[in-house]
PDB file of all heavy atoms in Angstrom:
ATOM      1  N   ILE A 289       6.011  -3.831  28.664  1.00 88.00           N
ATOM      2  CA  ILE A 289       5.454  -2.548  28.261  1.00 88.00           C
ATOM      3  C   ILE A 289       6.475  -1.700  27.519  1.00 88.00           C
ATOM      4  O   ILE A 289       6.131  -0.962  26.584  1.00 88.00           O
ATOM      5  CB  ILE A 289       4.916  -1.767  29.499  1.00 88.00           C
ATOM      6  CG1 ILE A 289       4.171  -0.530  29.051  1.00 88.00           C
ATOM      7  CG2 ILE A 289       6.049  -1.449  30.451  1.00 88.00           C
ATOM      8  CD1 ILE A 289       2.929  -0.799  28.246  1.00 88.00           C
ATOM      9  N   ILE A 290       7.755  -1.824  27.894  1.00 87.00           N
ATOM     10  CA  ILE A 290       8.796  -1.053  27.197  1.00 87.00           C
ATOM     11  C   ILE A 290       8.887  -1.498  25.745  1.00 87.00           C
ATOM     12  O   ILE A 290       8.963  -0.665  24.830  1.00 87.00           O
ATOM     13  CB  ILE A 290      10.154  -1.220  27.902  1.00 87.00           C
ATOM     14  CG1 ILE A 290      10.109  -0.576  29.288  1.00 87.00           C
ATOM     15  CG2 ILE A 290      11.278  -0.608  27.060  1.00 87.00           C
ATOM     16  CD1 ILE A 290      11.393  -0.738  30.079  1.00 87.00           C
ATOM     17  N   ALA A 291       8.873  -2.814  25.521  1.00 87.00           N
ATOM     18  CA  ALA A 291       8.935  -3.328  24.159  1.00 87.00           C
ATOM     19  C   ALA A 291       7.726  -2.882  23.350  1.00 87.00           C
ATOM     20  O   ALA A 291       7.845  -2.495  22.184  1.00 87.00           O
ATOM     21  CB  ALA A 291       9.039  -4.852  24.172  1.00 87.00           C
ATOM     22  N   SER A 292       6.542  -2.929  23.957  1.00 87.00           N
ATOM     23  CA  SER A 292       5.330  -2.514  23.249  1.00 87.00           C
ATOM     24  C   SER A 292       5.405  -1.054  22.836  1.00 87.00           C
ATOM     25  O   SER A 292       5.025  -0.683  21.724  1.00 87.00           O
ATOM     26  CB  SER A 292       4.100  -2.749  24.142  1.00 87.00           C
ATOM     27  OG  SER A 292       3.928  -4.125  24.412  1.00 87.00           O
ATOM     28  N   VAL A 293       5.917  -0.227  23.755  1.00 86.00           N
ATOM     29  CA  VAL A 293       6.057   1.200  23.435  1.00 86.00           C
ATOM     30  C   VAL A 293       7.034   1.398  22.284  1.00 86.00           C
ATOM     31  O   VAL A 293       6.785   2.191  21.362  1.00 86.00           O
ATOM     32  CB  VAL A 293       6.510   1.980  24.677  1.00 86.00           C
ATOM     33  CG1 VAL A 293       6.898   3.421  24.292  1.00 86.00           C
ATOM     34  CG2 VAL A 293       5.409   2.003  25.722  1.00 86.00           C
ATOM     35  N   LEU A 294       8.148   0.668  22.304  1.00 87.00           N
ATOM     36  CA  LEU A 294       9.148   0.806  21.247  1.00 87.00           C
ATOM     37  C   LEU A 294       8.602   0.335  19.903  1.00 87.00           C
ATOM     38  O   LEU A 294       8.843   0.969  18.869  1.00 87.00           O
ATOM     39  CB  LEU A 294      10.414   0.033  21.614  1.00 87.00           C
ATOM     40  CG  LEU A 294      11.244   0.624  22.759  1.00 87.00           C
ATOM     41  CD1 LEU A 294      12.363  -0.322  23.156  1.00 87.00           C
ATOM     42  CD2 LEU A 294      11.811   1.990  22.369  1.00 87.00           C
ATOM     43  N   TYR A 295       7.866  -0.782  19.888  1.00 85.00           N
ATOM     44  CA  TYR A 295       7.242  -1.240  18.642  1.00 85.00           C
ATOM     45  C   TYR A 295       6.289  -0.183  18.093  1.00 85.00           C
ATOM     46  O   TYR A 295       6.267   0.098  16.888  1.00 85.00           O
ATOM     47  CB  TYR A 295       6.471  -2.541  18.876  1.00 85.00           C
ATOM     48  CG  TYR A 295       7.327  -3.776  18.957  1.00 85.00           C
ATOM     49  CD1 TYR A 295       7.216  -4.662  20.030  1.00 85.00           C
ATOM     50  CD2 TYR A 295       8.254  -4.073  17.959  1.00 85.00           C
ATOM     51  CE1 TYR A 295       8.005  -5.805  20.110  1.00 85.00           C
ATOM     52  CE2 TYR A 295       9.049  -5.211  18.033  1.00 85.00           C
ATOM     53  CZ  TYR A 295       8.917  -6.069  19.112  1.00 85.00           C
ATOM     54  OH  TYR A 295       9.695  -7.200  19.181  1.00 85.00           O
ATOM     55  N   PHE A 296       5.508   0.398  18.982  1.00 82.00           N
ATOM     56  CA  PHE A 296       4.547   1.420  18.555  1.00 82.00           C
ATOM     57  C   PHE A 296       5.264   2.646  18.001  1.00 82.00           C
ATOM     58  O   PHE A 296       4.868   3.207  16.969  1.00 82.00           O
ATOM     59  CB  PHE A 296       3.649   1.818  19.726  1.00 82.00           C
ATOM     60  CG  PHE A 296       2.665   2.904  19.383  1.00 82.00           C
ATOM     61  CD1 PHE A 296       1.507   2.621  18.674  1.00 82.00           C
ATOM     62  CD2 PHE A 296       2.914   4.225  19.756  1.00 82.00           C
ATOM     63  CE1 PHE A 296       0.612   3.622  18.342  1.00 82.00           C
ATOM     64  CE2 PHE A 296       2.029   5.235  19.429  1.00 82.00           C
ATOM     65  CZ  PHE A 296       0.868   4.938  18.722  1.00 82.00           C
ATOM     66  N   VAL A 297       6.330   3.064  18.691  1.00 82.00           N
ATOM     67  CA  VAL A 297       7.070   4.248  18.250  1.00 82.00           C
ATOM     68  C   VAL A 297       7.702   4.013  16.875  1.00 82.00           C
ATOM     69  O   VAL A 297       7.671   4.886  15.998  1.00 82.00           O
ATOM     70  CB  VAL A 297       8.148   4.611  19.293  1.00 82.00           C
ATOM     71  CG1 VAL A 297       9.123   5.646  18.725  1.00 82.00           C
ATOM     72  CG2 VAL A 297       7.497   5.148  20.553  1.00 82.00           C
ATOM     73  N   ILE A 298       8.278   2.827  16.666  1.00 82.00           N
ATOM     74  CA  ILE A 298       8.890   2.503  15.373  1.00 82.00           C
ATOM     75  C   ILE A 298       7.843   2.507  14.269  1.00 82.00           C
ATOM     76  O   ILE A 298       8.051   3.071  13.188  1.00 82.00           O
ATOM     77  CB  ILE A 298       9.603   1.140  15.451  1.00 82.00           C
ATOM     78  CG1 ILE A 298      10.879   1.270  16.282  1.00 82.00           C
ATOM     79  CG2 ILE A 298       9.948   0.624  14.047  1.00 82.00           C
ATOM     80  CD1 ILE A 298      11.567  -0.040  16.572  1.00 82.00           C
ATOM     81  N   ALA A 299       6.680   1.876  14.548  1.00 79.00           N
ATOM     82  CA  ALA A 299       5.613   1.834  13.539  1.00 79.00           C
ATOM     83  C   ALA A 299       5.087   3.229  13.244  1.00 79.00           C
ATOM     84  O   ALA A 299       4.866   3.592  12.081  1.00 79.00           O
ATOM     85  CB  ALA A 299       4.477   0.926  14.013  1.00 79.00           C
ATOM     86  N   LEU A 300       4.891   4.044  14.279  1.00 75.00           N
ATOM     87  CA  LEU A 300       4.389   5.407  14.083  1.00 75.00           C
ATOM     88  C   LEU A 300       5.382   6.242  13.286  1.00 75.00           C
ATOM     89  O   LEU A 300       5.002   6.990  12.378  1.00 75.00           O
ATOM     90  CB  LEU A 300       4.114   6.067  15.433  1.00 75.00           C
ATOM     91  CG  LEU A 300       3.636   7.525  15.384  1.00 75.00           C
ATOM     92  CD1 LEU A 300       2.306   7.628  14.654  1.00 75.00           C
ATOM     93  CD2 LEU A 300       3.525   8.102  16.792  1.00 75.00           C
ATOM     94  N   GLY A 301       6.668   6.094  13.615  1.00 71.00           N
ATOM     95  CA  GLY A 301       7.680   6.851  12.885  1.00 71.00           C
ATOM     96  C   GLY A 301       7.719   6.500  11.416  1.00 71.00           C
ATOM     97  O   GLY A 301       7.774   7.378  10.552  1.00 71.00           O
ATOM     98  N   LYS A 302       7.668   5.201  11.114  1.00 75.00           N
ATOM     99  CA  LYS A 302       7.677   4.791   9.711  1.00 75.00           C
ATOM    100  C   LYS A 302       6.370   5.161   9.019  1.00 75.00           C
ATOM    101  O   LYS A 302       6.343   5.385   7.797  1.00 75.00           O
ATOM    102  CB  LYS A 302       7.908   3.287   9.603  1.00 75.00           C
ATOM    103  CG  LYS A 302       9.269   2.814  10.078  1.00 75.00           C
ATOM    104  CD  LYS A 302      10.409   3.627   9.489  1.00 75.00           C
ATOM    105  CE  LYS A 302      10.522   3.550   7.972  1.00 75.00           C
ATOM    106  NZ  LYS A 302      11.693   4.303   7.455  1.00 75.00           N
ATOM    107  N   LEU A 303       5.272   5.250   9.773  1.00 73.00           N
ATOM    108  CA  LEU A 303       3.999   5.648   9.179  1.00 73.00           C
ATOM    109  C   LEU A 303       4.066   7.080   8.666  1.00 73.00           C
ATOM    110  O   LEU A 303       3.683   7.371   7.531  1.00 73.00           O
ATOM    111  CB  LEU A 303       2.885   5.512  10.224  1.00 73.00           C
ATOM    112  CG  LEU A 303       1.446   5.507   9.723  1.00 73.00           C
ATOM    113  CD1 LEU A 303       1.206   4.357   8.764  1.00 73.00           C
ATOM    114  CD2 LEU A 303       0.485   5.421  10.906  1.00 73.00           C
ATOM    115  N   THR A 304       4.580   7.985   9.499  1.00 67.00           N
ATOM    116  CA  THR A 304       4.706   9.375   9.059  1.00 67.00           C
ATOM    117  C   THR A 304       5.685   9.497   7.900  1.00 67.00           C
ATOM    118  O   THR A 304       5.456  10.245   6.948  1.00 67.00           O
ATOM    119  CB  THR A 304       5.169  10.271  10.221  1.00 67.00           C
ATOM    120  OG1 THR A 304       6.424   9.798  10.713  1.00 67.00           O
ATOM    121  CG2 THR A 304       4.169  10.245  11.355  1.00 67.00           C
ATOM    122  N   ILE A 305       6.771   8.731   7.959  1.00 71.00           N
ATOM    123  CA  ILE A 305       7.768   8.777   6.894  1.00 71.00           C
ATOM    124  C   ILE A 305       7.178   8.266   5.583  1.00 71.00           C
ATOM    125  O   ILE A 305       7.381   8.849   4.514  1.00 71.00           O
ATOM    126  CB  ILE A 305       9.011   7.948   7.292  1.00 71.00           C
ATOM    127  CG1 ILE A 305       9.852   8.732   8.303  1.00 71.00           C
ATOM    128  CG2 ILE A 305       9.863   7.607   6.084  1.00 71.00           C
ATOM    129  CD1 ILE A 305      10.939   7.936   8.936  1.00 71.00           C
ATOM    130  N   ASN A 306       6.426   7.168   5.642  1.00 74.00           N
ATOM    131  CA  ASN A 306       5.870   6.602   4.417  1.00 74.00           C
ATOM    132  C   ASN A 306       4.822   7.498   3.784  1.00 74.00           C
ATOM    133  O   ASN A 306       4.689   7.553   2.561  1.00 74.00           O
ATOM    134  CB  ASN A 306       5.282   5.214   4.692  1.00 74.00           C
ATOM    135  CG  ASN A 306       6.309   4.121   4.487  1.00 74.00           C
ATOM    136  OD1 ASN A 306       7.498   4.397   4.354  1.00 74.00           O
ATOM    137  ND2 ASN A 306       5.871   2.880   4.459  1.00 74.00           N
ATOM    138  N   VAL A 307       4.063   8.203   4.610  1.00 70.00           N
ATOM    139  CA  VAL A 307       3.102   9.157   4.054  1.00 70.00           C
ATOM    140  C   VAL A 307       3.847  10.249   3.289  1.00 70.00           C
ATOM    141  O   VAL A 307       3.451  10.651   2.191  1.00 70.00           O
ATOM    142  CB  VAL A 307       2.230   9.764   5.163  1.00 70.00           C
ATOM    143  CG1 VAL A 307       1.490  10.997   4.655  1.00 70.00           C
ATOM    144  CG2 VAL A 307       1.216   8.734   5.647  1.00 70.00           C
TER     145      VAL A 307
END
Side-chain angles (χ1 to χ4, degrees):
I289 188 64
I290 293 178
S292 296
V293 170
L294 290 172
Y295 282 128
F296 178 78
V297 168
I298 288 173
L300 178 62
K302 294 311 298 183
L303 196 60
T304 59
I305 284 170
N306 270 12
V307 165

